[in-house]
Amino acid sequence: MCEYTAQDYKKGQPRWCPGCGDHFFLASLHKAMAEVGVAPHDMAVISGIGCSSRLPYYVNTYAMQTIHGRAAAIATGAKVANPNLCVWQISGDGDGLAIGGNHFIHAMRRNIDLNMILLNNRIYGLTKGQYSPTSPRGFVSKSSPYGTVEDPFRPAELCFGARGHFFARSVATDNAETVEVLKAAYKHKGASVCEILQNCVIFNNGCYDPIYNKEGRKKNAIYVRHGEKLVFGENNEFGLVQEGFGLKVVEIGKDGYTIDDILVHDAHCEDNTLQLKLAMMDNESGFPVALGVIRDVEAPTYDDAVHEQLAEVSSQKKYHNFMELLETNDTWEVV
C-alpha cells in the first residue's frame, strides 16, 4: 500500500478571501485524504455552486463542479456507476440546503455511500451577502435589511429526520478534530454528513466566535466520543445528565452530582433520541455545542443494494450481453 502525504492531494492556488474558513477546511481535507490512504485516482470531489464549491479545483483527484444544488445528484450517479470510487461531496449551506435541499434529504434516505460535507457559514457569500437557509431569525443581510422573519434549518435535524445514519460536526479552525471527523466519515459505509462551522470574514464574520478558537471551545463546546463520558469545560468540570426527556448541564461535585451521573455517549445507538438532543444543543440555550461524531450507525446502502439486485436479476436471465439478447428472440436470415 502506498503512503501518501497531503501534498499528493493539493492542486492550484485557492481563490478565497484571506481568513475564509474554506482555507482551513481544505487543509484538513488534504490531510485526511492522505491519512485514509486512498489513491488520488480513486477519489472524486464533486460540488455545486458557491464559494465552498470552488474546492474541486484545489484537489489533485477526479473532480467536478456541477450546477447549483445538484452536487448530491451527480455524486450519487458517480458512486452507483463506480462503487469503488471514494466520493466527497462539497456543498455550502445555500447550495446544499436551499436549491439542493431535496437532493440532500433523499441522499440521506437512500443511504448512498457518499462523504457529504456541508460548509455552513450561515450566509450566501458568493452572491454577496444574502441570508441563507441556516441564518438565524432576525438576521440582517442585504436580502433581509430589517431582519429575517424565518426560522432556519438545522442540518442535524434534517439529517436525522431523513433517517440519516451518520452525522458529525467540527469547526473549520480546529484542524485536528476536522481531520478525525473526515476520517470517520470515510470509514462509515453509507451517507455521511459532516457539518463544518466556519465564519465568512466578509459578510458574516464572527458568527461562530464563541467556539472559533481553542480557548472558546474549552468553555463553549463539548467533544463527544463514543463510549466516553459527556464532560466539558476547561478542566472537564461540567457534564451532561438526563433530566426528564431532555438534557441538563451540571457541575461535577456540586449539588450531589458525581461523575457516575454523567451520561456516556453512544454514537452507535439506533435510537437517535439522545444523539439528536446532543446535535441540537447551542450556546444560546445555555448548552455547549457538540463537536465530533454524534451518530454512526450501520445500515444497508443504496449503491450496494442496486448492484446486488442487478447481479440477482442478471443471474436469472438467459442473456448477459447484447448478442445473447438478440439470440434469445426470433431470428431471420437475410439472403
Side-chain angles (χ1 to χ4, degrees):
M1 179 178 178
C2 294
E3 290 188 9
Y4 296 97
T5 67
Q7 191 63 40
D8 294 316
Y9 299 88
K10 292 181 179 181
K11 178 183 177 182
Q13 179 62 45
R15 297 182 63 186
W16 291 308
C17 301
C20 174
D22 291 338
H23 289 287
F24 297 105
F25 174 74
L26 179 62
S28 298
L29 180 62
H30 286 149
K31 186 174 182 182
M33 286 177 163
E35 292 190 14
V36 301
V38 175
H41 60 263
D42 288 326
M43 281 188 179
V45 177
I46 296 172
S47 72
I49 296 297
C51 291
S52 61
S53 293
R54 291 173 175 166
L55 192 143
Y57 296 102
Y58 312 133
V59 287
N60 185 33
T61 65
Y62 287 111
M64 182 178 182
Q65 183 178 31
T66 70
I67 57 177
H68 199 20
R70 303 299 179 252
I74 303 300
T76 295
K79 184 64 181 181
V80 173
N82 184 355
N84 296 320
L85 198 62
C86 174
V87 180
W88 298 87
Q89 180 210 317
I90 312 295
S91 292
D93 45 298
D95 179 69
L97 301 183
I99 189 171
N102 248 19
H103 292 300
F104 179 83
I105 61 174
H106 288 297
M108 292 294 97
R109 178 181 65 83
R110 292 173 175 135
N111 199 31
I112 301 159
D113 191 17
L114 303 174
N115 306 315
M116 304 176 71
I117 311 302
L118 184 70
L119 299 176
N120 185 3
N121 58 15
R122 297 178 175 175
I123 195 77
Y124 281 101
L126 186 67
T127 50
K128 306 301 182 285
Q130 298 85 3
Y131 74 91
S132 85
T134 58
S135 300
R137 176 179 281 270
F139 182 74
V140 175
S141 73
K142 290 183 178 180
S143 57
S144 57
Y146 305 109
T148 66
V149 293
E150 306 172 7
D151 286 321
F153 273 146
R154 293 188 277 190
E157 203 169 24
L158 283 178
C159 175
F160 282 45
R163 305 185 69 177
H165 293 91
F166 183 101
F167 182 83
R169 182 188 291 130
S170 184
V171 180
T173 51
D174 190 354
N175 175 264
E177 182 66 14
T178 301
V179 169
E180 291 307 309
V181 158
L182 293 175
K183 287 162 60 178
Y186 162 76
K187 292 176 183 177
H188 177 82
K189 185 70 172 174
S192 306
V193 174
C194 296
E195 181 188 18
I196 309 298
L197 309 180
Q198 61 181 65
N199 290 337
C200 171
V201 293
I202 304 301
F203 299 108
N204 199 17
N205 197 23
C207 64
Y208 294 114
D209 268 2
I211 56 174
Y212 220 54
N213 59 45
K214 188 175 182 180
E215 291 70 27
R217 287 191 288 275
K218 287 181 179 179
K219 299 177 182 178
N220 301 310
I222 180 171
Y223 288 95
V224 299
R225 304 280 187 258
H226 175 72
E228 296 184 12
K229 292 282 187 178
L230 291 167
V231 295
F232 68 101
E234 294 180 276
N235 299 299
N236 284 337
E237 66 270 32
F238 299 105
L240 297 175
V241 299
Q242 189 168 355
E243 183 178 56
F245 291 106
L247 298 176
K248 178 182 178 180
V249 174
V250 300
E251 188 170 356
I252 301 168
K254 290 190 176 182
D255 300 323
Y257 290 103
T258 70
I259 190 66
D260 294 331
D261 298 310
I262 305 303
L263 290 170
V264 174
H265 181 46
D266 185 357
H268 304 324
C269 181
E270 289 194 22
D271 186 323
N272 65 22
T273 303
L274 284 176
Q275 297 162 355
L276 181 58
K277 291 185 183 301
L278 288 173
M280 298 292 281
M281 295 190 308
D282 57 42
N283 297 147
E284 290 76 14
S285 303
F287 286 92
V289 175
L291 304 174
V293 178
I294 296 172
R295 178 168 173 81
D296 185 357
V297 176
E298 293 184 4
T301 67
Y302 176 88
D303 32 302
D304 280 350
V306 165
H307 286 277
E308 288 169 6
Q309 186 180 68
L310 287 173
E312 180 182 355
V313 172
S314 179
S315 68
Q316 297 170 5
K317 295 291 184 180
K318 297 178 181 179
Y319 53 86
H320 303 90
N321 55 52
F322 185 67
M323 286 306 301
E324 289 181 4
L325 171 63
L326 291 178
E327 292 171 357
T328 60
N329 298 310
D330 294 333
T331 60
W332 297 267
E333 183 176 347
V334 179
V335 180

